[in-house]
Amino acid sequence: MEHLTIATVAETNPDFRRVLWTGKYSQLVIMTIPPDGEIGQEVHPDTDQILTFVSGVGEARINGETQKVAQGDLVCVPAGAEHNFVNTGPNPLVLYTVYGPPEHADGAVHKTKEEADEAEESGQDEPPA
């Protein structure tokens, strides 16, 4: 069993992305997006994603639509949707997200977006088979 006080864990996370738990069918990840930062435009062809925002303010950009997000908001991104999440505030945008199926390598920690992008491009950030 994995038991977390997820908002507290997410708030204390200094890293851009940290995989907390990986199961057979889903994965829990926390993210901290710095001011003026973003996740980056992406599409997960076979993966649904649910994001819950813990603190900060930003924008959800999904399939050409934009919606403001803040603490307590939850956004669902269906597989195949083009999406990006952008920090529009002066403080970090902190969130946790559930992927189904897993999207990242089990236990992956990426301190910056650049490190995360490099790991994805090099094939080091592949989900378990």
Side-chain angles (χ1 to χ4, degrees), residues 7 19 24-25 64 77 79-80 108 128:
V19 175
K24 185 173 180 178
Y25 301 109
V77 180

Side-chain angles (χ1 to χ4, degrees), residues 17-107:
R17 180 169 57 220
R18 178 180 291 267
V19 175
L20 294 181
W21 179 83
T22 301
K24 185 173 180 178
Y25 301 109
S26 61
Q27 184 174 62
L28 176 63
V29 175
I30 52 178
M31 297 187 75
T32 300
I33 304 167
D36 298 319
E38 63 182 73
I39 290 175
Q41 194 75 18
E42 60 185 0
V43 175
H44 307 300
D46 302 312
T47 303
D48 293 322
Q49 186 175 7
I50 300 169
L51 302 95
T52 303
F53 296 86
V54 175
S55 65
V57 295
E59 290 181 348
R61 300 175 182 171
I62 303 172
N63 285 337
E65 294 184 43
T66 300
Q67 176 69 45
K68 292 183 183 210
V69 294
Q71 179 181 358
D73 288 346
L74 183 143
V75 176
C76 298
V77 180
E82 187 174 75
H83 61 282
N84 191 6
F85 294 87
V86 179
N87 184 342
T88 60
N91 299 312
L93 180 61
V94 178
L95 64 101
Y96 60 93
T97 183
V98 176
Y99 295 95
E103 180 68 18
H104 298 287
D106 188 26

